[in-house]
Amino acid sequence: MNGNKYTNGEIRNGNGFETNGDSCTYDDLMITAKYVLDRIPKMPSIGIICGSGMGQYWNEGALADTLQDKTIIPYGEIPNFPVSTVEGHAGQLVFGACSGTYVVCMQGRFHHYEGYPLWKCAMPIRVMKLIGVEFLIATNAAGGINPAFNEGDVMLIKDHINMMGFAGNNPLQGPNESRFGPRFPPMCKAYDRDLIEKAKDIWKNQQFDGRLFEGVYTCLGGPNFETVAELRMLKLLGVDAVGMSTVHEVLTARHCNMTVLAFSLITNECVMDYYDHSQPNHEEVIDVGKLRQSTLRRFVEEIVAYIAKNRMK
Ligand code: HPA
């Protein structure tokens, strides 16, 4: 097919391969940031991405829902913002106080499988930066590859493997915006060691139910779950958990020098054997998220309290 066609508002080239499209300029992002700042009483210093298990799908008792003095801005009202296309995602920014600290929660995130280029999936991170966020807490649901992991376990992400980056797909592709960060950002300390250690202490001291691990995460494009051969390959590469998000958000956050803590809720054990007849499915992901959401909410509240007390200037 010749020429461009538009899908989900993005430019695709004639081969059907997604290009980086017309990425948001700094000025576009400033318009978005100003729209948001005009609607909130003060600037948040911590951003929290609520993945499945953190109240992406249901609100009662979820972190974003329990913030004090909330301001809610639906994504659809925010200029230049993508909209969540996955059924059941709340699709809104929720501002308010968490453990006494003013934060912003993304209730619903953007995935590559929705048809968005990676820069657009991660664009809210740059908006967060422009409205004052210095610390990012990213959460997700993931399949457990490490045989020690069970459903309901939590894995602090100590590092990632950027599989989509290996294939030449990266949110930082295209002209570098040096007002955010350098052309060639280092990624060797992407996940803050102090926060990982403190998160482990918090889990232990608060005696949260269930098990906490740390490990390596990878993001694949989805939307299909992986084949057995793919999972075995990921295991050989040293991957402990696999999902469809987070890596591009973390790349974008580290590019603009945010401090990052991320964790995965293990919602299913990956099927690593041809004779295992179980199959992963989205409902299971949601069900495990529901079961674990109050523990994860309390975990994040404690992490926010630690950051506010010890890490903020
Ligand atoms: N694979 C990819 N993404 C996921 C999985 C999985 O097994 N579980 C939850 N998100």
Side-chain angles (χ1 to χ4, degrees):
M1 197 197 287
N2 293 321
N4 290 329
K5 64 180 175 153
Y6 286 81
T7 307
N8 282 338
E10 296 309 326
I11 297 172
R12 287 165 183 260
N13 70 20
N15 300 324
F17 288 109
E18 207 156 71
T19 68
N20 239 11
D22 46 352
S23 64
C24 266
T25 63
Y26 195 84
D27 289 347
D28 292 335
L29 291 165
M30 287 297 282
I31 289 169
T32 309
K34 183 170 182 326
Y35 178 91
V36 172
L37 284 173
D38 284 347
R39 278 155 188 78
I40 52 177
K42 55 182 169 180
M43 294 166 87
S45 38
I46 301 178
I48 302 161
I49 304 176
C50 301
S52 313
M54 285 290 301
Q56 209 168 343
Y57 296 89
W58 51 90
N59 291 332
E60 209 178 312
L63 181 83
D65 196 54
T66 55
L67 299 182
Q68 302 296 303
D69 302 321
K70 286 194 290 283
T71 303
I72 296 177
I73 313 180
Y75 294 158
E77 292 177 8
I78 307 174
N80 302 319
F81 229 68
V83 287
S84 286
T85 66
V86 184
E87 204 183 323
H89 285 218
Q92 55 194 20
L93 292 180
V94 184
F95 295 82
C98 171
S99 309
T101 296
Y102 201 65
V103 304
V104 54
C105 289
M106 275 185 76
Q107 232 184 356
R109 56 148 63 89
F110 307 104
H111 305 86
H112 197 47
Y113 62 73
E114 293 175 75
Y116 293 120
L118 290 179
W119 68 263
K120 195 154 201 172
C121 296
M123 171 267 199
I125 305 297
R126 288 189 162 176
V127 175
M128 284 189 188
K129 178 75 183 184
L130 292 175
I131 64 173
V133 169
E134 290 297 338
F135 293 86
L136 179 70
I137 301 173
T139 74
N140 63 41
I145 292 179
N146 186 324
F149 292 179
N150 297 145
E151 242 178 62
D153 288 342
V154 178
M155 183 190 85
L156 289 161
I157 301 179
K158 71 171 178 193
D159 205 350
H160 68 230
I161 295 181
N162 179 10
M163 290 298 280
M164 292 202 272
F166 286 3
N169 194 0
N170 189 303
L172 304 175
Q173 246 161 16
N176 183 53
E177 178 47 80
S178 58
R179 280 168 283 190
F180 285 111
R183 171 74 292 184
F184 302 109
M187 265 322 134
C188 43
K189 294 185 176 57
Y191 300 86
D192 188 86
R193 205 4 85 182
D194 170 64
L195 289 184
I196 291 175
E197 294 302 333
K198 291 306 178 307
K200 286 199 278 195
D201 291 347
I202 287 167
W203 189 278
K204 206 165 142 206
N205 296 340
Q206 297 292 322
Q207 301 182 323
F208 287 137
D209 57 313
R211 304 187 305 167
L212 182 71
F213 292 88
E214 68 177 276
V216 175
Y217 175 84
T218 200
C219 165
L220 301 183
N224 59 283
F225 292 105
E226 303 72 32
T227 67
V228 170
E230 286 164 349
L231 290 164
R232 289 180 174 184
M233 182 195 81
L234 293 176
K235 184 166 180 236
L236 279 175
L237 294 179
V239 173
D240 296 296
V242 57
M244 303 176 195
S245 67
T246 308
V247 168
H248 36 281
E249 296 155 349
V250 172
L251 295 171
T252 305
R254 291 299 299 145
H255 178 248
C256 62
N257 205 29
M258 280 185 192
T259 301
V260 173
L261 177 78
F263 65 80
S264 299
L265 171 64
I266 305 300
T267 52
N268 55 289
E269 291 164 42
C270 289
V271 178
M272 309 289 289
D273 189 314
Y274 291 105
Y275 298 97
D276 176 341
H277 295 298
S278 60
Q279 296 210 85
N281 62 71
H282 193 54
E283 290 67 40
E284 177 182 33
V285 171
I286 294 172
D287 287 346
V288 176
K290 277 184 189 163
L291 285 174
R292 301 297 281 145
Q293 87 167 354
S294 76
T295 298
L296 297 186
R297 188 194 73 229
R298 287 185 291 130
F299 188 37
V300 171
E301 284 168 353
E302 292 291 333
I303 294 166
V304 167
Y306 170 79
I307 294 173
K309 183 155 180 262
N310 299 283
R311 296 290 299 270
M312 280 195 214
K313 289 176 203 106

